[in-house]
């Protein structure tokens, strides 16, 4: 029987202890081990070290852990690191630059390392800058901020401090995590398997293989306006992005579209996220044949697709004219980047898989704001301004304004998106918001439509709505044809059986999905959240 990674690690530790004893080093190193088994893993044979590394670290270890903030009026911050177990930090202001607001020095004292060869990596952030450093020696270290970026940064650091984040996996673990996250976005078999493994590990997904054929011979006569398309991409750029989206939201699909029939009976597909000839992701309404041909022959993300037919009673309510009017009004609009992340974040702490939190989100935004300011403005700045009732504030100014109002950034993120908000480039609708806004226009949320903000719904929230067929005898004859497991919906493409936990179980209610937690792996959802 092959040894487990944990067994190999224990054996390695035993071997190291024996070597210390043999060479008479046990007295020298009585207080501190010269090295930790994890520190020497790269020196071991790959067949030994790699399984251990994989068991200890994963892609999520790329996320820094917020340990606290240091500012002049606060007592020393204390925490336990990954390498150094006793750490303190404090902040002092100075004016070495002789500027109006001066600068400051962040002091960090690290001690009590668990071995002589480990190190801790830290990221330091304010709304105006992000920097990093690593520590190998037990002593006091400093990070010098020669000059604050004007009064705003000075006031922010004075009142809120410099945020400190620990890369908890250390240097080795961070490199291993990078190795784990990189393949998620590669368009290879390695990438596909990495996405499947990630979702199995962090969400408990099963990915059972279906019997062939993996593509259904569909009769479009059996597809109707309003029928929902749930799509799961598992390789390439979109596969990696969807994997992370699924993990944080609890959805078992990463993309959606909707079916529409015109007055001549021709079938169309409405989709937010269609890539045009310029490489832009836009909202489009495409003939079914064109859309289906792309998914079968040109989409290299290996999409798995399920058709979710509407219940006959719901279909009878579906106002096809209103649905088409809405769809045509949105054609050509950009994908809903403005509000994409806000459907996921509903609570102060119940939507962030550890070690992710609002501090990490703010730091990631700060980094992107420095690298691609136009992209950052599109992704979140406009939406954050709307939540504050302001216009044109940069991310740094937004963070400062929040503090002035006695609120916090994590509270700002939880303010519900409003369907009627107009952004600089028009209404913003992600893939699922586009489908559900069409449902809203078509009357499916009546009589409570005015109290429903569909831009707050995740894909999971959408397929949990009890809008869909619940009688398997009414599903099309070709539905799940050849599969030994009869799903309550029609999987029409894909090697692996699609899971949609909670499918078709939830009656809409006012302010639905505005305050729902989503922590893996259970993704427990309180009633009426």
């Amino acid at each position: 029987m092959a040894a487990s990674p944990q067994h190999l690690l224990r054996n390695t530790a035993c071997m190291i202890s024996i070597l210390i004893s043999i060479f008479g080093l046990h007295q020298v190193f009585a207080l501190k081990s010269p090295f930790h088994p994890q520190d020497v893993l790269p020196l071991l044979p790959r067949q030994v070290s790699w399984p251990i590394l994989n068991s200890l670290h994963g892609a999520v270890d790329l996320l820094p852990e917020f340990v606290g903030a240091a500012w002049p009026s606060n007592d020393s911050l204390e925490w336990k690191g990954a390498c150094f177990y006793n750490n303190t930090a404090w902040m002092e202001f100075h004016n070495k630059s002789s500027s109006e607001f001066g600068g400051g020095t962040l002091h960090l004292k690290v001690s009590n390392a668990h071995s002589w060869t480990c190190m801790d990596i830290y990221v330091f952030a304010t709304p105006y800058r992000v920097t990093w450093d690593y520590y190998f020696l037990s002593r006091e270290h400093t990070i010098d901020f020669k000059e604050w970026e004007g009064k705003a940064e000075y006031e922010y650091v004075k009142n809120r401090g410099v945020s400190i984040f620990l890369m908890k996996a250390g240097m080795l673990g961070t490199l291993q995590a990078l190795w784990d996250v990189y393949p998620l976005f590669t368009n290879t078999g390695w990438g596909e398997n990495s996405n499947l493994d990630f979702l199995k590990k962090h969400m408990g997904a099963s990915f059972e293989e279906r019997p062939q054929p993996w593509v259904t011979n569909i009769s479009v006569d059996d597809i109707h306006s309003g029928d929902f398309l749930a799509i799961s991409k598992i390789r390439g750029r979109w596969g990696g992005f969807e994997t992370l989206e699924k993990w944080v939201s609890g959805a078992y699909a990463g993309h959606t579209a909707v079916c529409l029939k015109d007055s001549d009976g021709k079938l169309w597909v409405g989709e937010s996220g269609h890539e045009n000839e310029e490489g832009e992701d836009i909202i489009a309404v495409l003939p079914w044949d064109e859309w289906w041909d792309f998914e079968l022959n040109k989409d290299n993300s290996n999409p798995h697709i399920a058709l979710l037919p509407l219940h006959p009673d719901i279909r009878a309510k579906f106002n096809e004219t209103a649905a088409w009017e809405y769809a045509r009004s949105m054609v050509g609009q950009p994908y809903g980047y403005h509000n994409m992340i806000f459907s996921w974040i509903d609570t102060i702490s119940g939507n962030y898989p550890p070690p992710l939190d609002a501090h990490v989100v703010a730091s990631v935004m700060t980094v992107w704001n420095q690298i691609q300011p136009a992209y950052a403005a599109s992704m979140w700045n406009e939406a954050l301004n709307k939540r504050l009732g302001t216009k044109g504030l940069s991310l740094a100014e937004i963070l400062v304004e929040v503090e002035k109002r006695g609120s916090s950034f994590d509270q700002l993120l939880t303010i519900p998106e409003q369907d009627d908000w107009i952004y600089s480039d028009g209404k913003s609708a992600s893939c699922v918001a586009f489908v559900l806004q069409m449902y809203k226009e078509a009357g499916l949320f009546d009589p409570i439509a005015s109290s429903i903000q569909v831009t707050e719904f995740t894909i999971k929230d959408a397929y949990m709505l009890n809008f869909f067929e619940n009688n398997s005898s009414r599903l099309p004859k070709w539905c799940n044809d050849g599969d030994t497991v009869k799903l309550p919906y029609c999987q029409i493409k894909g090697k692996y059986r699609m899971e949609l936990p909670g499918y078709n179980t939830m009656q809409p209610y006012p302010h639905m999905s505005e305050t729902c937690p989503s922590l893996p792996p259970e993704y427990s959802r309180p009633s009426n959240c």
Side-chain angles (χ1 to χ4, degrees), residues 77-151:
L77 175 69
E78 299 181 359
W79 72 95
K80 180 180 178 180
C83 170
F84 295 96
Y85 287 170
N86 293 331
N87 305 279
T88 58
W90 65 96
M91 187 78 196
E92 65 171 347
F93 279 175
H94 60 64
N95 200 353
K96 297 176 183 178
S97 61
S98 299
S99 58
E100 183 177 0
F101 299 102
T105 299
L106 177 63
H107 298 264
L108 296 100
K109 187 175 182 180
V110 302
S111 62
N112 194 21
H114 69 67
S115 79
W116 285 16
T117 54
C118 68
M119 68 174 65
D120 274 338
I121 306 173
Y122 287 96
V123 176
F124 310 97
T126 78
Y128 296 82
R129 70 183 80 205
V130 175
T131 187
W132 70 282
D133 206 351
Y134 62 92
Y135 304 122
F136 182 73
L137 300 175
S138 295
R139 63 177 178 85
E140 183 180 322
H141 304 266
T142 59
I143 297 290
D144 194 46
F145 301 88
K146 294 181 179 179
E147 186 176 345
W148 302 120
E149 295 287 337
K151 182 179 180 180

Side-chain angles (χ1 to χ4, degrees), residues 9 33 44 136 186 193 236 240 255 274 292 335 338 359 379 386 388-389 397 399 415 455 491 508 527:
L9 189 57
S33 174
L44 300 177
F136 182 73
T186 61
N193 289 332
H255 185 53
H274 173 75
W292 187 231
Y335 176 82
H338 293 294
H359 296 92
M379 282 290 288
K386 287 191 176 295
L388 281 173
E397 292 168 333
L399 294 173
I415 295 175
T455 40
Q491 183 165 347
S527 59

